[in-house]
Amino acid sequence: GLKRLNLHANRHDDSRMKERLAYDLYRAMGVAAPRASWATVRVNGQSYGLYGMVEELDGRFTADRWPEHPDGNLYKQLWPTDTGPVAMRAALRTNEDAGDISGFQEFSGAINSANTVAELREALGAHSDLDYWARYMAVDDAILNYDGVTYFNTDDGSWSHNHNYYFYEDAPSHFLPIPWDVESTFWINPDHAAPHWTVVPEDCSATYPYWSGLATAPGCDPVFLALASDLAPWRAAVRDLLDGPFAVDTMHEAIDRHEALIREAAQSPDTPTRSGSFASAVANTRSTIPGLRSRLMQHLDGER
């Protein structure tokens, strides 16, 4: 019943499984996320090796996840602080021709007109689900999603924007985030110096090394200011994650299962590797789990 699938080359992931692991964790925590598997790609009989195969985020996705409200607006990379109607319409991925953007305008207006952190949290809670956000951010922290909602790209600090997410209007003027493009996860990069999203630096115009560019601190963004004003739901979600789907044995069992399934295709000469072998990449992914858990527990204990 699907209209479209995404074939991902996983050019930064020689293990070929980080997308699957990440999306499974989001779903295990009650966050709407695309399904992911694998496919061997052939064109005119010629094999191009193993690709990740990811469910398209479209009207079929929304109808499956929200059957009681299947026809709402789906927006790609439109953040609640964005205000322009042109940008809102350009971000639509459902109802593109006749979508009513008044709900997102109301959401954006409430966030941007809030004068205090308490008002910000009230606005976010009125137009989204704070417990859902807590679960979303628990997984985002666990997998160290360097390329997701917390990384605000910038040139010089005068502007910033994040990417790799969607928002769905699951009820009138009510929106939930959806993760996307989670290949660059499950590794710790000390060169990414931006503070954790729960921290507000003294200077919100400061910039931090990020990939080959710069980023601003996510804690300065109104959405994260609102979320960080009461971390109890996030802490509870982190504990549930650590005790459940992100337990070491559970993660290692998933890695072993995926490795057995895709090993032959991943080791085929048709499947290129970027920085090593499939076996070494899988071993590295396995080895990162304890370190990622330790980092998450440090955040849970208030160590930034």
Side-chain angles (χ1 to χ4, degrees):
L2 299 181
K3 183 179 180 180
R4 180 181 296 175
L5 290 168
N6 295 271
L7 295 172
H8 292 178
N10 292 317
R11 63 193 182 100
H12 295 297
D13 177 21
D14 289 336
S15 79
R16 302 291 195 269
M17 64 176 67
K18 291 180 179 180
E19 280 194 323
R20 172 64 184 265
L21 292 168
Y23 286 137
D24 282 355
L25 282 174
Y26 283 111
R27 283 199 306 278
M29 291 297 290
V31 173
R35 291 171 288 180
S37 189
W38 298 270
T40 298
V41 176
R42 296 180 178 86
V43 180
N44 295 330
Q46 179 180 346
S47 173
Y48 286 83
L50 185 69
Y51 279 66
M53 183 171 63
V54 181
E55 184 179 12
E56 174 79 348
L57 296 186
D58 58 10
R60 288 162 178 78
F61 175 89
T62 62
D64 180 76
R65 301 320 193 267
W66 293 280
E68 295 181 358
H69 191 73
D71 300 319
N73 287 350
L74 179 69
Y75 295 91
K76 184 176 183 180
Q77 292 180 185
L78 185 70
W79 197 241
T81 53
D82 294 335
T83 59
V86 173
M88 291 180 187
R89 293 194 182 282
L92 280 169
R93 293 299 181 268
T94 59
N95 307 317
E96 294 96 325
D97 296 330
D100 179 2
I101 62 171
S102 61
F104 205 94
Q105 288 177 310
E106 183 180 334
F107 183 21
S108 176
I111 293 293
N112 287 303
S113 64
N115 294 312
T116 66
V117 172
E119 289 179 0
L120 275 175
R121 189 171 181 87
E122 182 180 358
L124 185 62
H127 295 280
S128 192
D129 184 326
L130 296 175
D131 287 333
Y132 182 100
W133 269 105
R135 299 192 301 273
Y136 187 111
M137 295 312 303
V139 178
D140 225 59
D141 283 326
I143 64 176
L144 245 181
N145 188 4
Y146 286 123
D147 212 18
V149 293
T150 62
Y151 281 81
F152 288 78
N153 302 279
T154 186
D155 284 337
D156 56 9
S158 63
W159 65 272
S160 59
H161 209 285
N162 53 4
H163 63 174
N164 290 333
Y165 59 87
Y166 287 70
F167 273 99
Y168 182 63
E169 191 171 10
D170 68 319
S173 301
H174 191 273
F175 298 86
L176 297 176
I178 305 168
W180 182 250
D181 193 3
V182 290
E183 175 189 346
S184 299
T185 52
F186 290 98
W187 64 300
I188 299 172
N189 184 350
D191 295 332
H192 288 186
H196 192 247
W197 62 269
T198 59
V199 176
V200 181
E202 293 183 3
D203 182 6
C204 281
S205 68
T207 58
Y208 306 87
Y210 170 60
W211 299 118
S212 58
L214 298 171
T216 57
C220 296
D221 178 79
V223 171
F224 293 111
L225 282 170
L227 292 173
S229 67
D230 181 2
L231 291 174
W234 171 78
R235 293 182 186 281
V238 168
R239 293 188 187 96
D240 288 343
L241 185 64
L242 288 167
D243 293 341
F246 201 55
V248 172
D249 288 347
T250 302
M251 290 301 300
H252 283 178
E253 288 171 3
I255 291 169
D256 291 346
R257 186 169 62 253
H258 300 331
E259 179 187 19
L261 178 65
I262 66 176
R263 181 188 300 116
E264 182 177 353
Q267 292 181 329
S268 164
D270 300 327
T271 304
T273 56
R274 181 182 178 91
S275 57
S277 68
F278 169 72
S280 64
V282 171
N284 183 66
T285 300
R286 282 178 57 88
S287 71
T288 63
I289 302 303
L292 290 171
R293 281 177 50 88
S294 177
R295 180 183 179 278
L296 187 57
M297 286 187 281
Q298 289 174 359
H299 287 312
L300 189 62
D301 294 335
E303 299 175 28
R304 305 296 193 244

